[in-house]
Amino acid sequence: MQTKLHPEMNADSRQALAAAKVEEYMATIKDVANDAGVAVGTVSKVLNGQYVSAKNKKKVEESVAKLGYEMNYYARGLRAGYTYTAAVIVPDIRNPFFACLVSSIEKELYQKGYKMFLCQSQKDAEKEAYYLKLACQNRVDGIIGVTFNDSEKQLQEKIPMVMIDRHLENGCCCVSSDNFHGGELAVRRLLAGGSRRLLFVRTGSRLSSETLKRGQGFAAECQRQGVFYATADFGDDTDVYPLGSIEKYLLAHMRDGVLYYDGIYTSTDALALVVLELLRSRGILVPQDVQVIGHDGLKRMNNGPYLLSSIVQPVEEMARVGVRNLLGLIRKEAVEPLTILPVTFAEGGTTRKV
Amino acid sequence: MQTKLHPEMNADSRQALAAAKVEEYMATIKDVANDAGVAVGTVSKVLNGQYVSAKNKKKVEESVAKLGYEMNYYARGLRAGYTYTAAVIVPDIRNPFFACLVSSIEKELYQKGYKMFLCQSQKDAEKEAYYLKLACQNRVDGIIGVTFNDSEKQLQEKIPMVMIDRHLENGCCCVSSDNFHGGELAVRRLLAGGSRRLLFVRTGSRLSSETLKRGQGFAAECQRQGVFYATADFGDDTDVYPLGSIEKYLLAHMRDGVLYYDGIYTSTDALALVVLELLRSRGILVPQDVQVIGHDGLKRMNNGPYLLSSIVQPVEEMARVGVRNLLGLIRKEAVEPLTILPVTFAEGGTTRKV
């Protein structure tokens, strides 16, 4: 139990703090009406810019200023049928890609006068479903989500919803980057840097998702170029750590300290860092012996230089389009069901100069 | 304008999607009452576990099941004077330390049945003040914040508020880690590894904050140990990037490629990474020539190995205590005004083994 109080906090300030019930400290519209000696409806009209007599308008404005009355936007929204709130659902905000995405979404929502509920599903179907339900119960105007457990299917026809990187068969609005072209681009860059035996490594859910196209683009481009390639999919069971199965795979393809593949493309930057660590721990030089390209375009501390050579997702643009589409759905406008934004390649020290 | 519709989205499903007003799709308590042929008050009593006749109880329960009625927890909260919502304010969620903190806070709030508004102040006094005000207007039960612009002063007596790493004179509840001891610990570890001329480098706001104690602990321990030391404070104007002024400082203290200092402690891991990059670009070996210790204890992708040797903040514990104290304030209990949680040292490759 914590009962000791800081010496600087005297009884009065403590009492004030403790008594600070949200309901109590704000002047209400009734207080304004009482103070001005007018009806509540008159105050409401003034606040909403409707006509009242100049005399009453002045009275109300004076009382508003005197009492420091602030419109309860939430209540106003409820009356209009809107909450000006969006729920954002991601698996884990600690993942730097999601941190960047959520940061950009928050900035976009803020600009549009919207607030953000943040929900972490932690890839837990139950928590995800709980949050989706809660989002509706609390009457958010819409949801932007990166979800993995199909729980959104039950809700997408009930509430405006934009999915990031997940395009459902039944047409829920989705914003993604060009994952397929990302795979192609990686192959071209590895070949340009001199690699001849390419490997694609991925981890993560095998649920239908736009991100699966990274490997598809990789394979298609390898076939087109007639280059030797292999793909290794470690699925969901292998999270980035522990890295046992990836290490085992790489070791099985090494002989006398030389890896059979000389160019590696990974489904995420996080995975690329694991691969880089494994290669370096075996004395394999990057990019001299093996070139490595990740996917996401993460930067050091999310604002420094690129962590490694990578296919860069246009995360700010994804947020911008995602929020724009969500607001469109809320306003009952038709929006593009699937938007695919262009990716780029960024050199980050793990590929040879070309 | 985006008007093209996905072929898989037929007119019916589009219409259903567009028509999905939040207000419209949920069975209301009135629908349940109508369907059961009882009064709204009777439904309410059943939902709240109060006594009604067995016959009416059965009717209501059947209608609830039939209509898929779900309690509107928000409305229930409003009636009880609570929203079960907390606002969390951080400067930038892309900063990995804040991402970890927010992630932990979300998990704690979720366990307590609370939802989270996430607000990024971006160190913008206006945006910060806007969010604090909005948090009150929307009647959140409380606020957990890492704020920098003193704007919280106007609100802390109006709404339950817990500050992370910021202890205001007037006693707003604060949760912090032992920054002073972190500085001491860094000095001891640098000395144990053989360093003799120590440098503390910091960036960031010079506003009164618990984090200023990192440098104070560093200086105190250097004095106690009788070791040569210097501190360099680059303030707010130098964000981590650009690194011009830090580079200039280090160059001014180098001669023939040797840095005058052989042990560096930085106020954050982000800053340490910049220092490491500068040292390495000048051919200075870490930890052979210079040992470097950061502060925060960040991990690669926030779940891998430590990025570098660092003073580790107990971020999960900070979130746990922060949420516990906030809920205490909401319940009008007395809480510890200042909680300081212990830090630890983690070896991460930039200090010599001892």
Side-chain angles (χ1 to χ4, degrees), chain B residues 32-336:
Chain B
V32 174
N34 284 341
D35 187 78
V38 301
V40 166
T42 307
V43 179
S44 176
K45 279 182 185 167
V46 173
L47 295 174
N48 288 300
Q50 291 172 271
Y51 177 77
V52 300
S53 72
K55 193 177 128 206
N56 278 349
K57 185 160 181 253
K58 187 158 174 270
K59 276 191 200 166
V60 169
E61 284 173 348
E62 281 170 0
S63 296
V64 162
K66 184 170 126 197
L67 300 175
Y69 174 78
E70 280 158 12
M71 277 249 249
N72 183 335
Y73 286 96
Y74 194 88
R76 197 175 62 164
L78 282 180
R79 281 198 297 276
Y82 295 109
T83 60
Y84 303 104
T85 304
V88 174
I89 303 182
V90 295
D92 188 342
I93 188 75
R94 292 176 310 164
N95 176 314
F97 178 72
F98 295 133
C100 290
L101 182 67
V102 168
S103 177
S104 295
I105 290 174
E106 189 269 353
K107 287 175 199 165
E108 290 295 325
L109 287 172
Y110 172 73
Q111 284 208 331
K112 306 291 184 187
Y114 264 72
K115 301 167 299 298
M116 179 174 79
F117 269 125
L118 181 64
C119 318
Q120 289 185 117
S121 65
Q122 303 178 266
K123 297 193 183 180
D124 172 340
E126 205 179 308
K127 191 173 179 190
E128 194 169 290
Y130 167 83
Y131 263 134
L132 286 165
K133 213 182 223 179
L134 204 65
C136 294
Q137 282 178 341
N138 283 286
R139 309 188 171 214
V140 299
D141 296 346
I143 298 173
I144 299 183
V146 183
T147 67
F148 289 91
N149 292 304
D150 281 347
S151 40
E152 68 282 4
K153 281 186 181 162
Q154 51 177 301
L155 285 169
Q156 58 173 324
E157 287 179 14
K158 294 182 174 176
I159 189 165
M161 192 181 287
V162 172
M163 305 294 291
I164 303 289
D165 272 345
R166 189 91 199 283
H167 187 222
L168 295 166
E169 303 69 29
N170 40 11
C172 179
C173 178
C174 171
V175 176
S176 181
S177 62
D178 196 344
N179 292 290
F180 191 89
H181 185 59
E184 293 177 322
L185 212 51
V187 169
R188 286 178 209 160
R189 206 43 177 65
L190 291 171
L191 294 180
S195 295
R196 288 299 169 257
R197 293 175 305 282
L198 307 190
L199 173 66
F200 173 68
V201 187
R202 83 173 289 274
T203 57
S205 167
R206 291 197 186 89
L207 265 182
S208 160
S209 155
E210 286 301 303
T211 63
L212 289 177
K213 295 187 179 164
R214 293 171 194 175
Q216 294 163 8
F218 170 89
E221 184 66 14
C222 284
Q223 288 163 17
R224 198 178 300 131
Q225 304 264 359
V227 66
F228 180 88
Y229 76 97
T231 65
D233 186 341
F234 293 96
D236 235 351
D237 26 294
T238 311
D239 211 340
V240 175
Y241 291 92
L243 36 79
S245 39
I246 298 171
E247 183 167 30
K248 224 178 280 174
Y249 182 91
L250 291 178
L251 282 177
H253 292 83
M254 278 176 69
R255 200 166 163 172
D256 302 328
V258 177
L259 185 69
Y260 182 70
Y261 304 102
D262 58 2
I264 301 177
Y265 169 52
T266 63
S267 57
T268 65
D269 284 346
L271 181 55
L273 292 182
V274 170
V275 168
L276 285 172
E277 185 184 28
L278 289 170
L279 295 178
R280 284 169 181 158
S281 74
R282 299 283 160 180
I284 293 171
L285 297 178
V286 175
Q288 294 88 334
D289 301 334
V290 177
Q291 296 189 97
V292 176
I293 296 179
H295 194 112
D296 281 340
L298 297 183
K299 293 174 171 179
R300 194 171 73 199
M301 296 286 140
N302 296 324
N303 67 355
Y306 285 105
L307 290 175
L308 75 158
S309 296
S310 185
I311 304 300
V312 184
Q313 295 206 66
V315 60
E316 291 179 15
E317 183 69 4
M318 290 166 78
R320 207 177 63 77
V321 175
V323 168
R324 190 183 65 195
N325 283 356
L326 186 71
L327 298 187
L329 288 174
I330 290 168
R331 289 190 302 260
K332 303 188 182 184
E333 295 167 8
V335 302
E336 187 76 25

